Amino acid sequence: MSLNPDTAGRVLIVEDDLALQKQIKWSLDRYDCATAADREAAILQYRRVQPTVVTMDLGLPPDPDSVSEGFKLLEQLLDLDPHVKVIVLTGQNDQANALRAVALGAYDFLAKPFDPEVLGLTIERAMRLAELQTENRRLQALQQPDALSGLMTRDPEMLRISRMVERVASSDATVLLLGESGTGKEVLAQGLHQASRRSGRFVAINCAAIPENLLESELFGYEKGAFTGAAKTTPGKIETANGGTLMLDEIGDLPAALQAKLLRFLQERKIERLGARQEIPVDVRVVGATHQDLQALIAEGRFREDLYYRLAEIEVKIPPLRSRQGDAVLLAHAFLRRFAQEQRRGSLVFSEDALQAIAAHAWPGNVRELLNVVKRASIMADGTRVTAQDMGLKVPTRDDSAGDASEFDLRAAREAAERQTVIAALARANNNIVKASELLGISRPTLYDLMHRLAIK
């Protein structure tokens, strides 16, 4: 069944043999076809007509006996649009290069001389797939975001934490988020609020960023005339979050006097503004967060133990990014897409050395550091590929990746290694199953079986 000519899409034919170029164009008369005879002309034509499908010979001028120009063109096309369907036309004895092209992202290949009907069917299939993928992306953009849509992960521990947050969201239990700076505590707190379906606002306050003499009025509010400069009655953050969720970030820095006042609020669910004599009932979900060791602060007498137990009805320990297998690369892909869109730079992609460097870096600043590094690189990169040098990261050597074999349970070690490798491949391929299976050297069904057996979602 043929596509409707009005919606068939455009095809770019890249062929230096002008007679063959004309023959291909003639056989595809139902499509809107553009032609080019070399790499530079192909890029110009691609930018001009934005084709859905490109057919291309790997041997292009100025060196038609080599495949270097063809592979360079393939790379440039995929940089311009990772969704473009490229069909490579090769010689009968050039299957190795054809397979290499598919591994790099080409949709399919045909050997010359090819049957025009087979080419037409291959293009029609590619058009249909492109149409389905476009519609799928459109529908995904229309969907309401999930409660934890801001949390992107494949790490088993982070997935377990996500499920825990979703389970406790419907309750009114106070949640304490523990983890290094930049691990995503506020993202989890916002996800908790969204999943709770509370009608009020999500309000966050950083207890370490506000001077001690102002923090009480920020939290509890004040009446007009309560102190010099109090020109009008102002509700505090707790009252502002009524019906919603209040996040107390860096709660380990809360002064002792305010710890006592916060404890009283958590017990009675009532506040009293500065300068007021009347208590105000407040219905708010409290989420505490800190990078500090609260148990150590309790031992030092710097944090109230009774407040800790009030805050830690549900305690969530968030692992650092370096402990989350594959997440650094997965997040980096997402950040780069976002920044490329914001800066209108088209399609930015990571080079192979950048992906290796991202996976190997320890990320002491966690997700916040990764976000900043990718944003800077997206601005500084000259072309469409972001390199390790653009990110200011070191490319790992074999010596860097040498490990210490301390696990002697062979079956468990093998399963753990398989799991880590599959997760890393999925992250490297940006969740593209076809590319991940090629990276792993296995078929797609085998990869699906592995993911099922290893409980990888």
Side-chain angles (χ1 to χ4, degrees):
M1 184 173 68
S2 299
L3 292 171
N4 184 330
D6 295 332
T7 59
R10 299 184 177 95
V11 178
L12 172 60
I13 302 163
V14 186
E15 174 59 61
D16 63 322
D17 183 333
L18 298 184
L20 181 56
Q21 183 189 100
K22 192 175 291 186
Q23 180 188 342
I24 296 171
K25 185 175 181 180
W26 176 82
S27 71
L28 301 175
D29 59 346
R30 56 187 162 151
Y31 298 110
D32 182 4
C33 294
T35 58
D38 58 44
R39 180 171 60 85
E40 289 185 3
I43 293 300
L44 288 172
Q45 286 284 61
Y46 184 87
R47 293 182 187 277
R48 185 177 68 83
V49 302
Q50 294 292 301
T52 306
V53 176
V54 177
T55 71
M56 57 171 281
D57 189 4
L58 286 176
L60 294 173
D63 188 8
D65 294 328
S66 168
V67 294
S68 59
E69 280 291 291
F71 278 112
K72 194 178 291 184
L73 173 59
L74 175 62
E75 184 178 293
Q76 286 180 295
L77 289 172
L78 292 172
D79 281 351
L80 288 168
D81 181 6
H83 305 295
V84 66
K85 306 300 176 214
V86 180
I87 299 169
V88 173
L89 305 178
T90 67
Q92 286 282 3
N93 301 316
D94 202 18
Q95 189 174 16
N97 280 320
L99 292 172
R100 179 184 161 199
V102 171
L104 289 172
Y107 170 72
D108 207 345
F109 69 91
L110 291 176
K112 296 179 182 178
F114 54 85
D115 185 332
E117 287 191 11
V118 174
L119 176 61
L121 286 170
T122 305
I123 289 176
E124 184 171 330
R125 236 177 37 240
M127 289 282 186
R128 290 190 181 280
L129 178 60
E131 188 178 342
L132 286 170
Q133 289 174 335
T134 300
E135 179 64 9
N136 186 45
R137 288 193 295 273
R138 186 186 71 82
L139 291 172
Q140 284 180 341
L142 290 174
Q143 281 181 340
Q144 291 295 323
D146 295 330
L148 291 169
S149 59
L151 183 69
M152 186 174 293
T153 184
R154 277 192 174 276
D155 179 69
E157 180 61 16
M158 285 302 292
L159 290 171
R160 185 190 68 78
I161 288 170
S162 300
R163 290 192 294 270
M164 181 196 300
V165 167
E166 287 171 345
R167 281 198 302 272
V168 304
S170 58
S171 73
D172 289 324
T174 304
V175 177
L176 181 61
L177 303 174
L178 303 175
E180 295 178 9
S181 294
T183 49
K185 294 188 286 295
E186 187 162 348
V187 170
L188 276 173
Q190 288 174 335
L192 181 70
H193 171 68
Q194 290 168 15
S196 72
R197 302 291 186 262
R198 295 180 70 88
S199 59
R201 294 169 52 191
F202 174 84
V203 178
I205 182 169
N206 189 320
C207 300
I210 300 171
E212 185 175 339
N213 60 331
L214 298 178
L215 187 55
E216 183 175 3
S217 59
E218 279 288 317
L219 279 172
F220 295 93
Y222 52 87
E223 294 287 332
K224 180 180 178 179
F227 51 82
T228 303
K232 63 177 182 177
T233 297
T234 304
K237 295 290 188 182
I238 296 175
E239 198 175 340
T240 305
N242 189 27
T245 302
L246 174 70
M247 179 184 180
L248 299 171
D249 201 5
E250 299 303 345
I251 200 163
D253 291 290
L254 200 65
L258 282 183
Q259 289 181 31
K261 197 164 183 179
L262 178 62
L263 176 63
R264 185 181 174 195
F265 161 67
L266 291 173
Q267 289 170 337
E268 300 179 7
R269 297 293 167 168
K270 294 178 182 178
I271 63 161
E272 193 175 297
R273 295 178 188 150
L274 290 179
R277 296 185 178 181
Q278 186 177 1
E279 291 184 326
I280 303 170
V282 180
D283 170 27
V284 65
R285 170 72 161 284
V286 176
V287 179
T290 183
H291 72 282
Q292 299 190 63
D293 183 346
L294 291 186
Q295 297 287 2
L297 294 182
I298 291 169
E300 295 168 10
R302 292 166 54 197
F303 199 84
R304 294 181 63 119
E305 189 171 18
D306 47 3
L307 176 58
Y308 168 77
Y309 287 117
R310 276 284 176 182
L311 289 168
E313 291 177 345
I314 303 292
E315 187 174 273
V316 179
K317 293 181 179 178
I318 306 170
L321 184 56
R322 61 184 171 275
S323 301
R324 288 146 59 173
Q325 179 65 34
D327 274 12
V329 173
L330 193 66
L331 288 164
H333 279 304
F335 293 154
L336 190 63
R337 281 197 303 272
R338 184 212 298 178
F339 294 133
Q341 187 175 13
E342 287 176 0
Q343 296 160 25
R344 298 181 180 179
R345 291 204 57 181
S347 177
L348 284 175
V349 294
F350 289 112
S351 64
E352 184 61 28
D353 73 327
L355 292 172
Q356 291 175 9
I358 292 166
H361 189 61
W363 299 110
N366 293 293
V367 180
R368 190 177 295 123
E369 179 191 2
L370 175 64
L371 180 79
N372 291 338
V373 167
V374 174
K375 184 173 185 177
R376 183 179 68 245
S378 70
I379 296 168
M380 300 303 295
D382 289 329
T384 56
R385 293 181 96 76
V386 174
T387 65
Q389 186 176 5
D390 293 327
M391 303 182 77
L393 298 178
K394 175 188 173 187
V395 180
T397 63
R398 288 187 180 180
D399 291 339
D400 294 330
S401 59
D404 178 19
S406 58
E407 177 60 69
F408 294 99
D409 183 335
L410 187 59
R411 181 175 177 180
R414 185 168 60 244
E415 284 194 359
E418 282 183 338
R419 192 173 215 292
Q420 288 183 1
T421 304
V422 170
I423 288 174
L426 287 165
R428 181 70 59 87
N430 200 14
N431 284 329
N432 184 308
I433 297 292
V434 175
K435 289 185 179 178
S437 61
E438 289 165 356
L439 282 171
L440 293 165
I442 58 178
S443 66
R444 275 176 291 172
T446 302
L447 177 54
Y448 279 121
D449 288 344
L450 261 176
M451 291 172 67
H452 178 72
R453 177 167 64 82
L454 299 169
I456 299 172
K457 296 183 178 181

